[in-house]
């Protein structure tokens, strides 16, 4: 049974909290003083950019679980628990400004009409709850029943919805049994994660300490990056080597321009003042602040060194948000860099996918400052490009096109997005932070070659594209049993790509040097491997033996494409790499899962016996453009039938769950696993950890197509798993990889591709 909850404040934390608590089945009343904000949210229009938020907002408004109001009285009277989610911005002296917190406390006090639990969700200094209680008690009187608790949020902008619905921990600070019981009742039935129950003051301190530690980690790696620059080594390699230690982990070890946003700088400063007020030496935390502030000066020094004279130089600025996937510019390096470049006389052409409008409010356009609509417009005629935000869009830029547009091929990268060797090969003078000497004077490196088997398949063709964009030469091999030449047609004129029609179960040689072998040949959909069972077994036995021998002969690195099917119908959720699986070795599906198990064993035998640098990727459900309409996998089936306005075929009752990863995310993870050093003999899960039932997937596809949901239920295939979800913590720590494309966004892209390439009338419901 859901609770009745009131949320004061609909800013970042307040809006995400309101929507997600409603999504969990609670009745939520969100209160904001601004009638325009209330009207916008009531119409389903979010006031912040956050992936997935708009859809959940609309769904919960429609379901009647969520409403917005300007009436505090309405919110208090209808709620059992009141969350304080108002802003606590920094004051000039570094302390948290608690004016809004006090205002809410004074608002609640006269409205108390029975026991209420008042919960701090805002990030506040330790012992703020004492002041809230004192304020309410003074105004409401001693006879009113209430408790004040703390339940800090740990939301990251750009993934806040996922962070709320899939938390890594929940912290409850409560000093009475009644308050503890209410908050435990709110969370225990909905989340399977550690819950830390402690005092109110400890909970308040946990949030500030957490963010201060993350800030410290970032400043530490940035200090190391300065040393790397002096020693001529790459901080990215150092960070990977350090981050593979499980005691340290790879998160927040990305050297660059440092931390920003509304949380880390503010919370670090607030913790410093609290510590100083209590007589604790904060010299270390002061140094964390100093290192972070100095990152802007270091980047600007690189810009001046690259351009010599700044007046009248055209500089394309890529990114102004403090991090990708948000429009938030609070604490962003752009707030310091843009005015300093402009003040030095440079001509700025600024682009950010969504945050430029916020910067424009502070720095309106003039004769030397222009806001443009794409990265390529920013590059046109530029003397240099300066990268301030690590948007994925910038990472995947067509460098040849950029090179043709700029006046001078200079890139100053504050986020270390690119490999220096790739930028040199593309003809750029590339300055980054902590990567050693990377200008055009450096010695050129030999172009690397990758051999990809299964190159004409859905996944193999995307891998060909990705490696070519990263300036590799690619040799693609495929027998075209399930792959199609059309998937590679766009590469026909690329001199760096060669295709060879070859069955890997037959012996073959490659005369040119090969640096990396990716063995991705194998029928992968149930329909294909059940149609070709013997060939499937041969590809993963004989074909694996042939490709391992080729890698050994060339002294090349080797990556085997394995599958989540090795886990069978798993009894452990989510499935970690250490799980041995629960499979039927004699059933129809065994031709695929047992073949992959044998391929894994053979690969590890080569690694142990011959010292081959071999890795294994276990791929969970993947989708995207170039999937075959008739390959039998669920997403192409649902999409093609939805486009044809015919019933969507669902096997069984549709309650079985899967997790779906968009192909662009998967390919980036594969690239990192294949190219990062120090991973020989390792196995990694790659997939999206967000779980969804097939019925929910069918509803989503039908909604995106704009058709009425109509289902036809088919028999459940033998040994079909009830659940499938990857544990990707190893990939997050070792590769710094997490999927970024939401399911609705990925499905839209896939739908567009299917709609543009295949006539809908060709699809019929299977007999």
């Amino acid at each position: 049974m859901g609770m009745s909850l009131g949320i004061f404040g609909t800013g970042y934390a307040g809006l995400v909290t309101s929507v997600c608590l409603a999504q969990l089945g609670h009745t939520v009343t969100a209160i904001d003083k601004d009638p325009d904000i209330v009207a916008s949210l009531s119409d389903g229009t979010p006031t912040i950019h956050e992936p997935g938020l708009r859809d959940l907002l609309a769904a919960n408004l429609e379901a009647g679980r969520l409403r917005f109001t300007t009436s505090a009285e309405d919110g208090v009277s209808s709620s059992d628990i009141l969350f304080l989610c108002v802003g606590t911005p920094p004051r000039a002296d570094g302390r948290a400004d608690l004016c809004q917190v006090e205002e809410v406390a004074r608002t609640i006090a006269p409205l108390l009409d029975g026991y209420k639990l008042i919960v701090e969700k805002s990030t506040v200094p330790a012992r703020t709850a004492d002041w809230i209680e004192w304020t309410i008690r003074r105004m409401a009187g001693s006879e009113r029943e209430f408790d004040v608790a703390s339940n800090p949020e740990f939301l990251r902008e750009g993934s806040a919805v996922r962070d709320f619905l899939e938390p890594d921990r929940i912290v409850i600070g409560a000093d009475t049994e009644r308050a503890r019981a209410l908050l435990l009742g709110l969370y225990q039935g909905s989340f399977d994660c550690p819950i830390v129950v402690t005092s109110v003051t400890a909970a308040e301190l946990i949030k500030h300490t957490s963010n201060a530690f993350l800030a410290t980690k970032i400043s530490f790696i940035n200090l190391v990056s300065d040393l790397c620059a002096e020693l001529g080594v790459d901080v990215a390699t150092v960070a990977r080597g350090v981050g593979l230690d499980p005691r340290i982990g790879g998160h927040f070890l990305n050297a660059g321009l440092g931390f920003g946003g509304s949380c880390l700088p503010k919370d670090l400063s607030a913790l410093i003042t609290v510590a100083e007020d209590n007589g604790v030496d904060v010299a270390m935390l002061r140094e964390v602040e100093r290192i972070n502030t100095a990152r802007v000066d270091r980047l600007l020094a690189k810009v001046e060194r690259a351009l010599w004279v700044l007046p009248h130089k055209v500089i394309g600025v890529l990114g102004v948000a403090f991090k990708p996937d948000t429009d938030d510019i609070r604490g962003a390096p752009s707030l310091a860099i843009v005015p300093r470049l402009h003040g030095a006389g440079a001509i700025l052409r600024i682009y950010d996918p969504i945050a430029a409008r916020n910067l424009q409010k502070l720095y309106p356009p003039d004769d030397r400052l222009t806001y443009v609509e794409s990265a390529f417009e920013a590059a046109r005629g530029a003397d240099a490009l300066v990268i301030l935000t690590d948007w994925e869009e910038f990472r995947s830029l067509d460098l040849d096109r950029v090179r043709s547009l700029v006046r001078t091929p200079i890139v100053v990268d504050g986020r270390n997005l690119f490999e220096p060797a790739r930028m040199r090969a593309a003809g750029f003078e590339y300055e980054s932070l902590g990567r050693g000497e990377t200008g055009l004077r450096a010695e050129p490196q030999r172009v690397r070659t990758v051999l990809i088997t299964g190159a004409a398949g859905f996944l193999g063709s995307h891998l060909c594209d990705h490696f070519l964009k990263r300036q590799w030469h690619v040799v693609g091999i495929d027998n075209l049993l399930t792959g199609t030449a059309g998937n590679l047609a766009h590469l026909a004129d690329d001199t760096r790509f060669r295709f060879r029609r070859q069955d890997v179960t037959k012996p073959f040689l490659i005369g040119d040097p090969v640096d990396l072998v990716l063995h991705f040949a194998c029928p992968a959909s149930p329909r294909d491997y059940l149609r070709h069972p013997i060939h499937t077994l041969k590809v993963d036995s004989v074909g694996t033996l042939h490709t391992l021998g080729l890698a050994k002969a060339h002294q090349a690195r080797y990556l085997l494409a394995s599958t989540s099917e090795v886990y069978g119908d798993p009894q452990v959720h989510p499935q970690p790499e250490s799980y041995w699986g629960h499979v039927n070795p004699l059933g129809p599906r065994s031709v695929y899962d047992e073949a992959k198990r044998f391929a894994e064993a053979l690969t590890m035998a080569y690694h142990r016996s011959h010292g081959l640098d071999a890795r294994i990727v276990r791929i969970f459900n993947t989708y995207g453009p170039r999937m075959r309409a008739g390959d039998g996998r669920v997403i192409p089936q649902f999409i093609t039938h939805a486009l044809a306005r015919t019933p969507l075929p669902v096997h069984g009752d549709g309650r079985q769950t899967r997790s779906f990863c968009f192909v662009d995310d998967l390919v980036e993870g594969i690239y990192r696993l294949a190219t990062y050093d120090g991973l020989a003999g390792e196995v990694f899960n790659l997939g999206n950890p967000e779980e969804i039932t097939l019925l929910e997937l069918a509803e989503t596809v039908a909604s995106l197509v704009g058709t009425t949901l109509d289902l036809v239920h088919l028999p459940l295939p033998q040994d079909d798993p009830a659940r499938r979800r990857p544990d990707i913590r190893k990939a997050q720590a070792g590769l710094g990889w997490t999927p970024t494309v939401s399911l609705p966004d990925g499905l839209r892209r896939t739908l567009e591709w299917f709609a543009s390439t295949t006539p809908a009338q060709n699809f019929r419901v299977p007999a």
Side-chain angles (χ1 to χ4, degrees), residues 615-631:
R615 299 105 185 267
I616 296 171
V617 54
R618 289 178 181 156
I619 300 170
F620 284 69
N621 293 73
T622 306
Y623 70 101
R626 301 183 198 162
M627 296 189 86
R628 284 185 11 252
D631 77 355

Side-chain angles (χ1 to χ4, degrees), residues 414-429:
R415 297 298 182 182
N416 291 353
L417 291 187
F418 300 105
E419 295 176 2
R422 178 192 177 196
M423 298 302 286
R424 287 197 300 270
F428 287 93
E429 182 178 339

Side-chain angles (χ1 to χ4, degrees), residues 210-278:
S210 177
N211 280 348
F213 181 82
L214 295 177
T216 301
K217 198 172 181 182
I218 294 169
S219 283
F220 179 81
I221 198 62
N222 280 331
L223 181 150
V224 172
S225 80
D226 294 345
L227 177 60
C228 288
E230 297 302 319
L231 296 176
V233 298
D234 189 346
V235 67
T237 301
V238 174
R240 284 200 297 273
V242 171
L244 288 171
D245 185 330
R247 298 169 301 173
I248 299 172
H251 292 300
F252 292 86
L253 285 181
N254 295 318
L257 275 172
F259 55 85
S262 63
C263 293
L264 266 61
K266 171 177 70 73
D267 294 351
L268 175 63
S269 179
L271 184 63
I272 288 172
T273 59
V274 170
E276 286 179 333
D277 288 347
N278 287 273

Side-chain angles (χ1 to χ4, degrees), residues 653-669:
D653 61 11
R655 294 179 184 174
Q656 61 269 44
T657 66
R658 297 292 185 270
S659 56
F660 297 97
C661 185
F662 190 65
V663 64
D664 289 358
D665 281 334
L666 183 76
V667 165
E668 174 61 27

Side-chain angles (χ1 to χ4, degrees), residues 351-577:
Y351 170 68
D352 187 285
I354 59 174
R357 63 181 181 273
N358 291 330
L359 188 72
Q360 191 169 340
K361 296 173 185 176
L362 300 176
Y363 304 108
D366 60 28
D367 59 339
R368 289 192 294 106
L369 194 159
T370 307
Y371 294 88
V372 297
E373 295 300 318
S374 74
F376 298 114
E377 286 187 58
R380 192 179 305 278
D383 295 290
L385 290 177
V386 177
I387 301 173
L388 303 184
T389 310
D390 48 338
W391 284 97
E392 186 62 28
E393 174 183 335
F394 301 157
R395 199 188 305 273
S396 58
L397 281 173
D398 182 339
L399 293 179
D400 289 339
R401 184 178 176 189
V402 172
R403 179 69 179 81
S404 71
L405 291 171
V406 296
R407 179 182 294 127
T408 311
I410 296 173
V411 174
V412 181
D413 183 359
R415 297 298 182 182
N416 291 353
L417 291 187
F418 300 105
E419 295 176 2
R422 178 192 177 196
M423 298 302 286
R424 287 197 300 270
F428 287 93
E429 182 178 339
Y430 180 65
E431 293 285 348
S432 53
L433 296 174
R435 311 291 290 281
E437 178 58 48
T438 58
L440 288 173
R441 294 182 296 277
E443 286 294 321
Q445 296 183 348
R446 180 179 67 82
V447 175
R448 297 163 297 175
T449 298
V450 57
L451 171 72
I452 301 175
T453 70
F458 157 57
L459 190 51
S461 63
H462 283 282
L463 284 167
C464 291
D465 290 344
H466 198 79
F467 275 87
L468 288 168
K469 285 180 180 178
R470 298 296 183 96
Q471 303 304 313
W472 286 64
H473 283 200
V474 177
V475 177
I477 285 180
D478 203 298
N479 66 351
L480 302 182
L481 179 67
T482 59
T484 62
N487 285 340
L488 301 174
H490 61 291
L491 302 178
D493 297 326
D494 193 325
T495 57
R496 299 167 302 155
F497 177 73
R498 288 187 293 123
F499 177 72
R500 176 171 164 181
R501 186 165 184 174
Q502 171 72 47
D503 186 339
V504 295
T505 67
K506 309 297 183 185
F508 67 98
L509 297 174
I510 300 293
D512 296 332
V514 174
D515 302 280
L516 175 63
V517 176
L518 269 60
H519 183 29
F520 278 69
C522 186
S525 76
R527 184 170 295 176
D528 286 339
Y529 62 67
L530 293 176
R531 183 182 296 143
H532 306 287
I534 305 302
H535 185 74
T536 299
L537 288 162
K538 290 177 68 176
V539 168
D540 280 312
S541 54
V542 179
T544 302
L545 186 66
H546 287 160
T547 53
L548 282 166
L550 187 144
K552 179 174 177 285
H554 284 267
Q555 297 183 322
R557 183 175 290 170
Y558 186 87
L559 178 63
L560 172 71
S562 189
T563 171
S564 60
E565 294 288 340
V566 300
Y567 299 124
D569 187 4
Q571 307 298 297
V572 173
H573 303 285
Q575 296 86 56
E577 290 85 352

Side-chain angles (χ1 to χ4, degrees), residues 683-700:
V683 180
F684 282 82
N685 287 336
L686 291 182
N688 195 320
E690 294 185 353
E691 204 169 5
I692 185 174
T693 69
L694 296 190
L695 286 179
E696 291 170 332
L697 176 65
E699 291 171 358
T700 302

